Amino acid sequence: MTAEQIYVGSYTSQPGGGEGIGFGTLDGIAVAAATADPSFLVRSDDGRFLYATNEEETGRVSAFAIQDDGGLKFLNDQPTEGLHPCHLGIDPTGAYLLSANYSSGSIAIHPIAADGSLGTATQILQREGTGPNADRQEGPHAHQVVFFDEFVFDVDLGSDTVYTSTLTAAGRLEAVDLLRIHPGAGPRHLVFHPDGSAAYVINELDSTLSVCSYDGGKLQVVQTLSTRPADSPGESYPAELLISADGRFLYGSNRGDDTIAVFALAADALSAELVQTIDSGGNWPRHLAFSTDGTRLYAANERSDTIATYGIADGLLTPDGDPTNWPKPVCILPV
């Protein structure tokens, strides 16, 4: 099997951090672009451009042109006018890049030019609200931006809320609906079932998964279950959530337990069962990603500087080789 090429986002400001965005295979990764704290990466649908958050106190998003050899040519960056942007989404038309500013709880919208560069923000949408967890929910904390159907969803950990909006041609979000997850959940990431009947939210603060029905932009929680076995000691903080292409399985990362949780979904997609937890191959698995053919799963273990790989057979995971070393990996983008 030919080794798959991946981009790796990482933290550069942490002790022992790297220099920027990595590129290569698990047999060898090198720095493709020096940039500060590129904690999340997305690629344009046509494969020509890559965008990165610069998760700093003065948040920025950076644009790169992807070269024939996979190298990255810096185009420009733009301020997100918020603190610590941690997630990105490109709208389906390719016209706008949306970023979630975690610490300030705001969503920034930047137009994408024909040459891939980013223009001045068309909107900075400030969310509001708090939650019962005084340490983590003292204010809004935007953690993800997702497009599905004709809607855009932003997930706010600080206020236990998932917002549904439409994105106008002028690059502004217009409210459609919102979902309140149970207080203190700390929703972090959201995925949709391929058939559009359901969605799933992984909650960072109480290690739960919320199963939701979905209809025309409206979400409703129908089941809540733990991301951990009942006898798990200590605390854990889920991070990433993936769904298999066939809609049969979910995969979530548990930071603290340092495991990957596998859930089997019912035929109607509206209930889930925890069927496997497996060691993440390191410490503090912040991000998970499927290989491009869907046969493997990557786990980026931030605190152990390791990227682990798993084979997938009938939904379940099996370690595949030794973990690869890379400083503070927090995002894997297979190409």
Side-chain angles (χ1 to χ4, degrees), residues 46 48-49 51 75 94-95 111-118:
D46 61 12
R48 297 173 58 206
F49 306 108
Y51 301 94
L75 297 175
I112 300 174
D115 66 357
S117 63
L118 297 171

Side-chain angles (χ1 to χ4, degrees), residues 221-240:
V221 177
V222 296
Q223 183 195 16
T224 303
L225 67 160
S226 178
T227 65
R228 317 166 69 194
D231 58 353
S232 299
E235 295 183 336
S236 195
Y237 303 92
E240 187 57 279

Side-chain angles (χ1 to χ4, degrees), residues 4-335:
E4 181 170 59
Q5 293 180 314
I6 60 173
Y7 289 100
V8 184
S10 61
Y11 284 121
T12 62
S13 61
Q14 293 183 5
E19 299 177 38
I21 301 168
F23 177 73
T25 71
L26 293 181
D27 296 325
I29 303 172
V31 176
T35 188
D37 288 332
S39 64
F40 197 80
L41 313 173
V42 293
R43 191 171 65 142
S44 60
D45 282 347
D46 61 12
R48 297 173 58 206
F49 306 108
L50 182 143
Y51 301 94
T53 57
N54 296 111
E55 193 177 331
E56 300 180 293
E57 185 86 15
T58 303
R60 293 177 295 119
V61 283
S62 292
F64 300 88
I66 299 175
Q67 307 301 290
D68 290 342
D69 62 358
L72 298 176
K73 178 185 177 182
F74 177 72
L75 297 175
N76 75 329
D77 59 26
Q78 289 284 355
T80 63
E81 301 180 42
L83 310 177
H84 304 112
C86 63
H87 196 271
L88 297 171
I90 300 174
D91 94 275
T93 71
Y96 294 99
L97 178 76
L98 277 65
S99 53
N101 290 293
Y102 176 79
S103 294
S104 54
S106 54
I107 306 298
I109 304 174
H110 289 88
I112 300 174
D115 66 357
S117 63
L118 297 171
T120 303
T122 54
Q123 185 183 26
I124 307 295
L125 178 59
Q126 180 62 57
R127 295 303 188 190
E128 305 292 342
T130 60
N133 185 320
D135 292 333
R136 297 291 308 278
Q137 295 183 308
E138 79 294 343
H141 291 303
H143 223 310
Q144 188 193 34
V145 183
V146 178
F147 290 87
F148 191 77
D149 286 345
E150 66 268 37
F151 304 104
V152 55
F153 302 82
D154 59 284
V155 182
D156 195 287
L157 180 148
S159 62
D160 297 314
T161 305
V162 179
Y163 295 94
T164 306
S165 308
T166 53
L167 180 64
T168 69
R172 299 186 67 83
L173 291 178
E174 294 186 347
V176 172
D177 199 16
L178 58 81
L179 169 70
R180 299 289 190 191
I181 307 292
H182 59 274
R188 181 181 171 105
H189 278 192
L190 164 74
V191 296
F192 285 87
H193 194 276
D195 72 5
S197 65
Y200 313 90
V201 182
I202 199 163
N203 300 308
E204 178 175 338
L205 299 184
D206 69 353
S207 296
T208 57
L209 177 77
S210 297
V211 179
C212 305
S213 61
Y214 174 73
D215 183 21
K218 295 186 179 296
L219 295 162
Q220 182 175 347
V221 177
V222 296
Q223 183 195 16
T224 303
L225 67 160
S226 178
T227 65
R228 317 166 69 194
D231 58 353
S232 299
E235 295 183 336
S236 195
Y237 303 92
E240 187 57 279
L241 185 64
L242 302 178
I243 188 165
S244 60
D246 62 9
R248 296 175 57 212
F249 296 93
L250 293 170
Y251 302 85
S253 64
N254 287 313
R255 299 173 300 174
D257 289 351
D258 295 336
T259 61
I260 302 169
V262 182
F263 302 88
L265 294 174
D268 66 359
L270 294 176
S271 64
E273 178 187 2
L274 182 64
V275 293
Q276 183 188 24
T277 50
I278 186 171
D279 189 281
S280 70
N283 184 359
W284 214 247
R286 180 180 172 98
H287 192 250
L288 306 174
F290 291 125
S291 62
T292 53
D293 64 5
T295 64
R296 287 166 293 153
L297 181 145
Y298 303 105
N301 291 286
E302 175 185 347
R303 295 184 179 176
S304 57
D305 305 327
T306 53
I307 300 167
T309 308
Y310 299 83
I312 306 173
D314 196 26
L316 302 182
L317 302 178
T318 304
D320 181 13
D322 295 326
T324 297
N325 294 320
W326 186 256
K328 310 303 172 197
V330 289
C331 184
I332 308 293
L333 181 61
V335 295

